[in-house]
Amino acid sequence: DTGVSQDPRHKITKRGQNVTFRCDPISEHNRLYWYRQTLGQGPEFLTYFQNEAQLEKSRLLSDRFSAERPKGSFSTLEIQRTEQGDSAMYLCASSQQSGQPQHFGDGTRLSIL
Amino acid sequence: GDSVTQMEGPVTLSEEAFLTINCTYTATGYPSLFWYVQYPGEGLQLLLKATKADDKGSNKGFEATYRKETTSFHLEKGSVQVSDSAVYFCALAFNFGNEKLTFGTGTRLTIIP
């Protein structure tokens, strides 16, 4: 069990640029979740997948955000035309459908200049 | 909608003191309840969980009991150590945690020797 892996750990970009983050879940975990955490707050749900199907999207996920999990393994989260308010820690978690709890990665910290 | 309210921090205690961090929730139905912990420089880790009323979750000397009548899941530890210094998040989820987690804002705990 190598844990949930996220890449990159840190991303600094200029406002208006596009960014893409990657999450590799624990192998055999068929559910994958994305959350966003801002300073001093708890994580907020963005979206989740069961295998390759995206089952739920939060209202927080504006049209500039898109997430994919094309082969039911790793997932990507893309933010287009980044804004200052997108600065946050983006967390990925995975779980088995059998009722085991979600395991979190260390996150990708996004800073918008 | 569903929500979690946590005792506001930060909380500072002396080593070997008794710890209580309050958590109450609002939800339609009967969710599973969780405490996650975030140690400095690390990702979120599950500390303990309870899936139904009157269940007690426990781990590393921490305990929390699912109280349906008061919609609470308070975290307790009889004797804290410096190594317990971290941010603690209370959370709920349905379907035994297979659906999205709803987190509280977190409570920063500092233990002084």
Side-chain angles (χ1 to χ4, degrees):
Chain A
D1 182 350
T2 57
V4 177
S5 177
Q6 291 190 246
D7 184 69
R9 291 295 304 276
H10 304 277
K11 179 70 177 178
I12 301 173
T13 192
K14 293 181 179 179
R15 187 178 57 186
Q17 297 296 304
N18 298 344
V19 294
T20 300
F21 310 140
R22 177 179 170 124
C23 172
D24 287 89
I26 295 171
S27 59
E28 300 180 355
H29 280 194
N30 57 12
R31 291 212 173 194
L32 187 148
Y33 308 78
W34 286 99
Y35 295 84
R36 182 172 69 185
Q37 185 178 17
T38 53
L39 199 60
Q41 299 297 315
E44 296 174 293
F45 169 77
L46 293 178
T47 187
Y48 85 94
F49 295 82
Q50 179 172 313
N51 300 314
E52 65 275 9
Q54 189 172 19
L55 296 188
E56 186 175 350
K57 293 169 60 174
S58 163
R59 292 171 300 163
L60 293 175
L61 218 64
S62 74
D63 291 345
R64 296 185 298 106
F65 288 71
S66 62
E68 295 182 341
R69 195 183 183 198
K71 297 182 180 179
S73 57
F74 73 91
S75 175
T76 58
L77 177 67
E78 181 183 15
I79 309 174
Q80 296 182 327
R81 305 180 304 281
T82 52
E83 301 174 355
Q84 291 286 349
D86 296 332
S87 294
M89 178 75 85
Y90 290 84
L91 300 171
C92 178
S94 69
S95 71
Q96 291 179 317
Q97 196 176 352
S98 60
Q100 295 302 308
Q102 296 176 31
H103 296 262
F104 283 80
D106 288 341
T108 293
R109 181 171 297 281
L110 175 64
S111 298
I112 308 297
L113 300 178
Chain B
D2 304 328
S3 66
V4 175
T5 301
Q6 266 184 255
M7 169 181 175
E8 291 197 10
V11 175
T12 302
L13 294 173
S14 297
E15 203 165 21
E16 300 183 1
F18 184 86
L19 169 71
T20 300
I21 300 178
N22 290 337
C23 171
T24 58
Y25 68 90
T26 301
T28 52
Y30 303 105
S32 296
L33 300 175
F34 305 83
W35 278 99
Y36 278 82
V37 59
Q38 191 167 33
Y39 297 103
E42 299 185 15
L44 277 168
Q45 302 174 25
L46 178 67
L47 181 60
L48 54 83
K49 69 173 184 176
T51 57
K52 62 182 187 296
D54 299 324
D55 267 2
K56 178 185 285 187
S58 61
N59 186 26
K60 300 182 180 181
F62 290 89
E63 293 182 340
T65 301
Y66 190 142
R67 301 288 189 198
K68 188 176 70 172
E69 62 276 14
T70 54
T71 62
S72 65
F73 192 55
H74 304 321
L75 183 68
E76 297 182 335
K77 186 174 185 181
S79 177
V80 292
Q81 305 300 313
V82 172
S83 57
D84 294 327
S85 298
V87 182
Y88 293 81
F89 294 93
C90 185
L92 66 82
F94 289 93
N95 195 16
F96 303 103
N98 281 320
E99 297 184 13
K100 63 185 178 186
L101 284 159
T102 298
F103 286 89
T105 54
T107 301
R108 181 175 297 279
L109 174 66
T110 302
I111 307 301
I112 53 177

